[in-house]
Amino acid sequence: MNNEIIYLDNNATTRTAPEVIEAMAPFFGDNYGNPSSVYRFGGAIRRRVERAREQVAALIGAEPDEIYFTSCGTESDNMALKGFFLEHGAGARLITSAVEHPAVRNTARFIKERGASLTELPVDGSGMIFEDAVDAHEINRNTLVSLMWANNETGVIFPIDKLAQAVKVRGGVFHTDAVQAAGKVVIDVKKTPVDMLALSGHKIHAPKGIGAAYFRAGTPVASLIHGGHQENGARAGTENVPYIIGLGCACELAAERLETENTRVRALRDRLENALLERCGGAKLNGCPENRLPNTVNISFENIEGESILLHLDESGIAAASGSACTTGSLEPSHVMMAMGIPYKYAHSSIRFSLSVYNTDSDIDRVIAVMPGIVDKLRELSPFI
Ligand code: PLP
C-alpha cells in the first residue's frame, strides 16, 4: 500500500488508528469467545463489549444502555427511520433536509413510497438550514424529523440544538445523522434533546463495518434484524467483537483529540483554504464559513471539471474528493450543490479536502504548491470557456 499518499479525504473514510488496531488484535486471536456464552471465557468478552459501549456513550454524553452496535452509519440511520415507520405505519410524517446523506435521503424516500408523507426542507446558498425551519410545519407524535448534525460535502453544521428543541416541544421525534460530526464537534445528548442519533466507526479512525445507534431511554427501538437476543433484542446476530472493541477505543481517542481537531486541524484547514482561494483563479468557497466542521473545506474552481482536478491531484499523490465519495463516478453535480443553488459552472467543479489529525504542515504545503498549476492548466483546456 502507498504510505506516501497525502490523504485529504477523511470524510470518505479514515485510517484505522494504530491504537485501535492494537486494541482489536487480541479479539481476532486468543480472545475469540462468544459474549453470550455463560462460561468465564465468554463473560470476559462480554465485559469488554460493555466497556466499549461505555466508551461510545461517553463520546456523546449518553448512557451505555442507550447505545446499540450496528454494522455502519447507514444501518444506524435505517434503524431509526424504518423503525419509526414500522411503529407509525403510513400515518408517519417524515421531515428531512434536501442535503441529507443517501443513508437518510434514500431511506426516507423508500418510506414515502410505502405511504408515509415526506418533506425535504430547503437549505440556503451556504448549505445552512434556518433555525426556524420546522416551525411552519405540522409536527405531532407521528412526525419524525431527521436532520444531519454536519454535512459530509460542505462540513456545514446545522443548529441541531434549536431544531431538536422546536420538534420536541411540539411532541415530534428527532433523529440526527451525526456520522460526520462525531469526534469533530462536542455532542452531548444530555443537553441537546435528540431522541435518536447515528454514528459510524470508519469516520473516526475505527475500521469500516462498525457503527452505533443511540436511542434515548424511553424511545421505542425497533429491530430490523430478527433472531437472537443480542443488543437487547434490537439487533440480532453474534456481535462483531473485535470491531466493537475498536469502535470503543476510537471513541475514546476521538474525545481526547477533540481539542486537537479544533485547533491544529482547523489551523491546517484554514491555511489550505486561504491559500487556495487566494492563489487559484475563479475559486469560491462552498458552505457557510462560520458554522463548519474544523476539518472540511469545499471549493469550486469555476468552469473546470472537479473529476479532472481529482485525477491531476492523484498524479501528485494527493487524495481528495469531488462531491461526496458516494456520488463520485457520476458526473452530475451532487444533490447537495444543487440544493444550495450553486450555478452549474461552480457546482460541477467542487473539490472537497477533508483533513484528520494525521495530516501535517508539509501535506498542506504540497497541495498549496500544486493546485494553482493544476487549475491554470485545466482552465486552458476547459470546454466551458
Ligand atoms: N451519513 C453521513 C453524513 C455520511 O457522511 C456517511 C458516509 O459517508 C454515512 C451516513 C454512511 O456511513 P457508513 O459509511 O458508515 O454507512
Side-chain angles (χ1 to χ4, degrees):
M1 287 299 287
N2 186 0
N3 290 322
E4 298 302 310
I5 189 170
I6 295 175
Y7 188 76
L8 295 168
D9 199 13
N10 288 278
N11 287 9
T13 197
T14 59
R15 163 195 288 269
T16 305
E19 294 90 335
V20 169
I21 296 174
E22 200 183 319
M24 293 192 313
F27 299 89
F28 289 112
D30 290 343
N31 298 342
Y32 56 83
N34 188 324
S36 299
S37 301
V38 289
Y39 39 78
R40 280 171 294 163
F41 188 47
I45 308 284
R46 161 68 50 211
R47 281 191 292 283
R48 271 308 272 112
V49 167
E50 294 316 315
R51 169 85 192 104
R53 205 183 301 281
E54 287 166 13
Q55 291 168 308
V56 175
L59 180 64
I60 59 167
E63 295 300 322
D65 60 3
E66 295 174 317
I67 300 296
Y68 298 82
F69 291 113
T70 64
S71 66
C72 58
T74 301
E75 185 187 331
S76 303
D77 284 330
N78 270 263
M79 198 171 162
L81 271 65
K82 287 183 184 156
F84 187 84
F85 179 58
L86 284 175
E87 190 164 330
H88 295 261
R93 245 181 86 61
L94 262 53
I95 300 179
T96 66
S97 81
V99 294
E100 296 298 313
H101 186 274
V104 165
R105 184 171 143 95
N106 291 343
T107 306
R109 289 178 173 193
F110 171 90
I111 292 170
K112 180 184 179 206
E113 280 165 18
R114 278 148 190 83
S117 81
L118 170 64
T119 305
E120 292 179 356
L121 301 173
V123 294
D124 69 8
S126 73
M128 184 54 87
I129 203 158
F130 298 107
E131 284 180 3
D132 61 358
V134 295
D135 293 1
H137 296 268
E138 189 196 330
I139 290 177
N140 56 39
R141 53 180 292 283
N142 288 327
T143 313
L144 171 63
V145 179
S146 177
L147 296 170
M148 65 202 319
W149 201 302
N151 187 270
N152 43 305
E153 291 190 36
T154 58
V156 168
I157 299 170
F158 281 175
I160 292 298
D161 247 321
K162 295 250 161 42
L163 293 162
Q165 270 164 34
V167 171
K168 293 312 295 170
V169 293
R170 291 153 76 196
V173 177
F174 195 89
H175 169 256
T176 185
D177 176 338
V179 164
Q180 292 294 344
K184 297 172 194 155
V185 297
V186 176
I187 296 180
D188 185 353
V189 296
K190 294 237 162 23
K191 296 195 180 125
T192 304
V194 302
D195 298 299
M196 302 183 273
L197 175 150
L199 290 179
S200 171
H202 73 110
K203 311 291 186 182
I204 53 168
H205 305 290
K208 295 151 196 65
I210 184 74
Y214 158 80
F215 285 82
R216 185 177 294 280
T219 304
V221 186
S223 175
L224 302 186
I225 302 180
H226 296 94
H229 57 272
Q230 291 90 353
E231 296 303 288
N232 225 358
R235 193 203 187 249
T238 301
E239 297 88 340
N240 185 351
V241 174
Y243 279 42
I244 287 173
I245 309 287
L247 179 62
C249 177
C251 285
E252 200 168 285
L253 278 176
E256 286 165 13
R257 291 171 173 174
L258 204 61
E259 178 67 24
T260 313
E261 189 78 49
N262 280 280
T263 51
R264 196 181 71 78
V265 175
R266 182 187 293 275
L268 287 179
R269 189 277 311 267
D270 287 349
R271 191 158 74 79
L272 174 65
E273 176 174 319
N274 291 335
L276 296 186
L277 291 174
E278 215 174 276
R279 298 186 200 176
C280 299
K284 188 176 147 305
L285 180 71
N286 296 313
C288 178
E290 300 84 26
N291 297 310
R292 232 179 343 140
L293 293 175
N295 78 319
T296 307
V297 55
N298 188 314
I299 298 184
S300 288
F301 301 89
E302 187 182 0
N303 284 332
I304 306 179
E305 266 187 8
E307 300 286 314
S308 307
I309 300 178
L310 280 194
L311 294 177
H312 280 74
L313 284 172
D314 190 27
E315 277 171 23
S316 301
I318 299 164
S322 74
S324 97
C326 303
T327 54
T328 300
S330 135
L331 280 179
E332 284 305 300
S334 78
H335 70 280
V336 176
M337 295 293 135
M338 308 272 271
M340 289 163 69
I342 309 275
Y344 187 81
K345 63 181 180 174
Y346 287 109
H348 203 239
S349 68
S350 85
I351 295 288
R352 177 190 69 191
F353 297 98
S354 49
L355 286 65
S356 84
V357 289
Y358 296 113
N359 287 119
T360 61
D361 266 308
S362 73
D363 291 347
I364 300 308
D365 290 342
R366 176 90 184 116
V367 184
I368 295 172
V370 302
M371 266 302 275
I374 294 175
V375 169
D376 287 347
K377 181 173 161 193
L378 290 173
R379 188 151 293 129
E380 272 172 30
L381 303 171
S382 173
F384 300 115
I385 302 175

